[in-house]
Amino acid sequence: MDFSRKLMVPPDKTIKLGKFDPADTLAHDNDQKTEAKLEKTIKRLDDLQYLLYAEKKRALLIVLQGMDAAGKDGTIRHVMSGVNPQGCSVTSFKVPNSEELAHDFLWRIHKVVPEKGMIGIFNRSHYEDVLVVRVHNLVPKEVWKARYDEINRFERNLEENDVKILKFFLHISREEQESRFRERLHDPCKKWKFSKADASERKHWDDYVSAYEAVLSRCGTEYAPWFIIPSDHKWFRNLAISRIIVETLEEFDMHFPKSPESS
Ligand code: AMP
Ligand code: MG
């Protein structure tokens, strides 16, 4: 099945998240067949990444966004588990430091865009500058409002320079977030992940939904598409994201370069 086509946000479409079921599985069951499919996909991803690395013609940039506990860390751990760390970089974007704040908001982002041959993963991204920044009024409205177009121009520039961008919105329900927070509080191995800020951010759920709808409606482009990934079921989230990455890499039609001596 073509996961990319099914889950991609059509450019210029106004998105209402209420219309997307976070528990959707596109008729898949959590059974052995699905598990085998995921395993096969992860193996295929490893082969394709090797080829991307060898060819060094393009980079792949994967952007992960979602509410707290949506599964950004878990996605990286599971989906990239088979990939050679040499060909992969992960960057987590936190509250900007003073040096970062002294520059334009894309400065810290552009610096860590993957080079050709590499897969770069962003755990949060430049989209925080129209999400948390918008929800908490961290800059005046006219400043964050201008950023949607700035982001589109930036991403187009990257695309024209052989960086393929895939953006995943990990869509979870409020109930699922609550149950994951509860798990974090009670599991000694997960407690470190829970911060008081998570609980207070939860109060802004509706504002975040509106901010995400604006992002998905305004920045879902043909050159840098957004995908809405139903993420209440972790196994489906992992399957969908890994399939979309594999489908994208397969479209590149990559070949191993000839050895330098033979050319
Ligand atoms: P975590 O992903 O749980 O480590 O948390 C990182 C925190 O940094 C989140 O609360 C983000 O909202 C915050 N953050 C990331 N980027 C920005 C930004 N550009 N401005 C303000 N806060 C940010
Ligand atoms: Mg957090």
Side-chain angles (χ1 to χ4, degrees):
M1 192 184 60
D2 186 348
F3 283 78
S4 309
R5 200 172 39 78
K6 288 226 157 128
L7 298 174
M8 189 167 120
V9 174
D12 301 321
K13 189 164 177 229
T14 303
I15 296 298
K16 284 279 161 216
L17 279 175
K19 295 206 176 119
F20 293 81
D21 177 8
D24 197 0
T25 63
L26 300 179
H28 287 72
D29 293 316
N30 187 16
D31 56 13
Q32 273 187 339
K33 202 173 137 210
T34 300
E35 211 169 294
K37 189 169 173 171
L38 177 62
E39 211 172 294
K40 208 172 136 202
T41 308
I42 302 263
K43 174 78 189 67
R44 179 85 184 118
L45 180 54
D46 185 31
D47 293 342
L48 288 163
Q49 186 237 6
Y50 188 65
L51 196 46
L52 182 87
Y53 189 76
E55 218 194 33
K56 288 207 175 4
K57 278 194 182 166
R58 324 171 173 75
L60 179 67
L61 173 58
I62 296 167
V63 170
L64 298 175
Q65 285 287 165
M67 303 282 196
D68 291 314
K72 300 183 285 295
D73 297 314
T75 300
I76 297 170
R77 205 166 53 244
H78 287 98
V79 173
M80 304 315 284
S81 60
V83 164
N84 181 353
Q86 267 207 94
C88 195
S89 66
V90 181
T91 312
S92 299
F93 292 95
K94 309 284 180 186
V95 178
N97 63 29
S98 57
E99 191 190 17
E100 289 166 343
L101 282 174
H103 290 82
D104 70 275
F105 77 103
L106 292 169
W107 178 76
R108 66 172 182 164
I109 308 293
H110 206 161
K111 278 202 298 187
V112 288
V113 166
E115 63 191 57
K116 288 177 189 172
M118 297 287 288
I119 298 180
I121 301 167
F122 285 179
N123 183 343
R124 302 185 189 271
S125 65
H126 41 304
Y127 283 97
E128 290 294 321
D129 293 280
V130 283
L131 291 165
V132 64
V133 167
R134 166 174 159 155
V135 169
H136 290 285
N137 301 305
L138 300 181
V139 299
K141 190 173 179 183
E142 58 272 21
V143 173
W144 61 253
K145 268 195 136 177
R147 288 180 174 170
Y148 300 99
D149 290 337
E150 290 172 36
I151 288 174
N152 287 340
R153 285 199 296 271
F154 170 67
E155 292 181 351
R156 183 184 275 281
N157 175 51
L158 293 183
E159 195 262 350
E160 285 169 355
N161 284 280
D162 306 309
V163 181
K164 177 71 199 169
I165 308 172
L166 299 174
K167 303 178 296 199
F168 297 107
F169 170 63
L170 278 43
H171 185 33
I172 54 165
S173 63
R174 252 196 118 151
E175 296 70 38
E176 180 63 18
Q177 186 193 50
E178 189 177 0
S179 107
R180 290 186 192 179
F181 279 172
R182 214 175 291 129
E183 206 182 317
R184 284 184 180 182
L185 275 169
H186 293 108
D187 181 342
C189 300
K190 291 189 176 167
K191 213 166 177 161
W192 67 275
K193 288 197 103 181
F194 188 81
S195 75
K196 284 209 181 95
D198 288 343
S200 61
E201 283 308 90
R202 199 173 144 73
K203 295 194 194 112
H204 298 284
W205 180 274
D206 292 340
D207 295 334
Y208 272 106
V209 168
S210 304
Y212 268 111
E213 287 175 342
V215 158
L216 296 165
S217 304
R218 300 197 54 184
C219 300
T221 56
E222 254 154 49
Y223 50 88
W226 271 108
F227 298 88
I228 298 174
I229 306 295
S231 297
D232 274 4
H233 298 293
K234 296 175 183 175
W235 60 267
F236 181 76
R237 173 202 73 199
N238 294 339
L239 177 69
I241 294 179
S242 54
R243 282 298 316 154
I244 292 168
I245 298 171
V246 162
E247 285 166 12
T248 303
L249 290 172
E250 279 177 342
E251 272 183 20
F252 285 173
D253 185 31
M254 297 182 283
H255 304 279
F256 284 108
K258 294 187 182 112
S259 72
E261 290 77 25
S262 64
S263 62

